[in-house]
Amino acid sequence: MLTHLFFFDNLKVFAQRIVACLSISDLFYALGLLLYVEPTFDGYDITRCTIQGTVTQFARICAFLWSTSISYFLYVSITSGQKKLIYFERYQKFILAIGFAIPLIMATIPLFFHSYAPTPAKVPAVCSITSNDENKSIEKNRSLSLYLNLTLFYLPLLCSVIISVYFILRSYFKIKRIKSQYELLNKQINIQLMFARNLILYPSVIFICWLPSQIIFLIFVFNNSWIEQIQQDYFIYQTGPYQYIRIVQYGASFLQGFFNSLVYWFNSYQMRKRLNKLERADLDFQKTKTFFSNNYEQDENRSSQLTNSFQNLQEI
């Protein structure tokens, strides 16, 4: 994605920079996952574990934030036009800085509690937010791990999905209303509908990839005895569904960047295909406008209005 954005797309465009930020988040997540840490209580590389936990936590929150930003800026461009986006472009350096600063803060908070550690019960092992402090009771470790995961990961994930779907649905229905008002511009409006509909794939990827983790977390909160039982069955008797549950959980989350790249490719392919049709439609429209301008001077104002509407839609 980053290679295509750098060489074939215009990174001076504000929207493309937001997509690039999402790609950077996925890149950091992939690099963090490569720092494998042995799943033991003692003897693991604490420094490497801390780096892995911090980098992956930072990258995941970044992905949630930039995915939500894509939905919001799509909504702004459709409802308020390019002038509003130009206003945001003036502060894009500040927006980009905030977009990386907030995840960085959320990634450093667990450091104060020494809460990045591998959990031996997890297969495969990833240093994540957990609490294995020997000076605390099991119940206190469990409560601290629960609260940190809830506030620093699962709530941001849930908010990201809800906000993204809200703005994309509002954008979609706004375009449908425009379509009903300008029947002559159906071909152009259809492209906007397709674009809004396809963008929902970005928050959908996050939701699908992290859905197994959300389910496991809820089970851990409300029915922890079941998790403990299947853990014992697996590690003592080598039976039960525990291993397969973990494979699905981690496998889905690790594929987030891969699915984002597929969505990016799919959107690029669809938009280029439709825009080629749009250019041909624009040529036919210009010929029709010239014909009416030459034969019906009274239609000049109406033709000018249609042209301006068409240009605004192209900008969106």
Side-chain angles (χ1 to χ4, degrees):
M1 289 175 67
L2 288 171
T3 302
H4 189 275
L5 283 165
F6 184 80
F7 288 104
F8 300 103
D9 281 325
N10 187 4
L11 278 179
K12 293 182 180 180
V13 177
F14 180 57
Q16 298 288 46
R17 291 189 176 185
I18 299 297
V19 176
C21 289
L22 178 62
S23 306
I24 292 171
S25 305
D26 291 333
L27 177 62
F28 272 104
Y29 187 50
L31 294 174
L33 293 176
L34 293 175
L35 298 171
Y36 178 78
V37 179
E38 288 294 330
T40 59
F41 280 115
D42 301 313
Y44 65 88
D45 191 327
I46 298 177
T47 301
R48 188 167 61 179
C49 181
T50 303
I51 293 173
Q52 184 193 53
T54 305
V55 171
T56 53
Q57 171 70 3
F58 165 77
R60 288 181 295 194
I61 301 301
C62 273
F64 301 161
L65 191 60
W66 293 121
S67 177
T68 306
S69 300
I70 290 173
S71 308
Y72 174 70
F73 288 121
L74 170 70
Y75 170 75
V76 169
S77 67
I78 290 173
T79 57
S80 303
Q82 292 297 301
K83 292 182 179 180
K84 187 68 174 180
L85 275 186
I86 292 173
Y87 170 80
F88 283 110
E89 287 180 7
R90 296 175 185 172
Y91 303 97
Q92 61 178 300
K93 291 183 179 179
F94 176 75
I95 293 172
L96 296 178
I98 291 294
F100 286 109
I102 292 176
L104 184 60
I105 292 172
M106 296 180 71
T108 55
I109 290 175
L111 294 175
F112 296 101
F113 299 94
H114 305 286
S115 294
Y116 285 124
T119 305
K122 292 183 179 180
V123 181
V126 176
C127 286
S128 56
I129 299 176
T130 186
S131 183
N132 294 327
D133 192 343
E134 296 179 354
N135 299 321
K136 296 178 182 177
S137 64
I138 296 176
E139 189 62 31
K140 286 185 177 180
N141 278 327
R142 183 177 181 273
S143 297
L144 178 60
S145 178
L146 173 65
Y147 293 138
L148 288 175
N149 274 286
L150 186 63
T151 56
L152 298 178
F153 181 75
Y154 289 99
L155 282 179
L157 170 61
L158 186 62
C159 291
S160 172
V161 172
I162 293 174
I163 294 172
S164 297
V165 171
Y166 169 77
F167 282 122
I168 288 177
L169 288 178
R170 288 206 60 179
S171 303
Y172 181 78
F173 290 116
K174 174 69 174 180
I175 295 172
K176 289 197 73 172
R177 286 197 296 270
I178 296 174
K179 181 178 179 180
S180 63
Q181 295 172 5
Y182 297 95
E183 294 182 0
L184 293 176
L185 299 178
N186 273 352
K187 291 183 179 180
Q188 294 86 341
I189 295 291
N190 283 335
I191 291 180
Q192 310 309 319
L193 280 170
M194 180 204 68
F195 186 60
R197 187 169 58 246
N198 288 351
L199 274 182
I200 202 172
L201 294 174
Y202 282 112
S204 298
V205 164
I206 287 181
F207 178 75
I208 292 171
C209 287
W210 291 102
L211 180 61
S213 295
Q214 287 179 310
I215 294 173
I216 295 297
F217 180 75
L218 291 175
I219 295 174
F220 172 77
V221 173
F222 297 106
N223 193 13
N224 188 47
S225 59
W226 181 77
I227 292 288
E228 292 177 349
Q229 182 60 48
I230 64 172
Q231 283 178 356
Q232 291 176 6
D233 292 341
Y234 174 71
F235 287 105
I236 297 175
Y237 306 108
Q238 299 297 312
T239 59
Y242 181 77
Q243 182 182 19
Y244 303 104
I245 290 173
R246 288 302 187 185
I247 288 173
V248 172
Q249 176 189 0
Y250 284 97
S253 62
F254 292 168
L255 289 172
Q256 173 185 305
F258 173 70
F259 287 136
N260 275 336
S261 66
L262 291 182
V263 171
Y264 175 75
W265 169 81
F266 177 74
N267 283 345
S268 299
Y269 172 77
Q270 290 287 323
M271 288 303 296
R272 292 180 193 283
K273 182 179 177 181
R274 294 297 181 95
L275 284 173
N276 287 334
K277 293 182 179 180
L278 181 61
E279 289 177 358
R280 292 194 293 269
D282 184 27
L283 182 61
D284 294 338
F285 174 76
Q286 295 295 338
K287 291 179 179 179
T288 304
K289 188 192 75 170
T290 302
F291 172 78
F292 279 107
S293 297
N294 293 335
N295 293 276
Y296 304 98
E297 293 182 358
Q298 63 271 25
D299 285 344
E300 283 188 2
N301 292 332
R302 177 175 173 80
S303 177
S304 177
Q305 291 175 355
L306 287 172
T307 303
N308 292 334
S309 299
F310 175 78
Q311 291 173 346
N312 290 335
L313 286 166
Q314 282 184 313
E315 289 177 358
I316 293 174

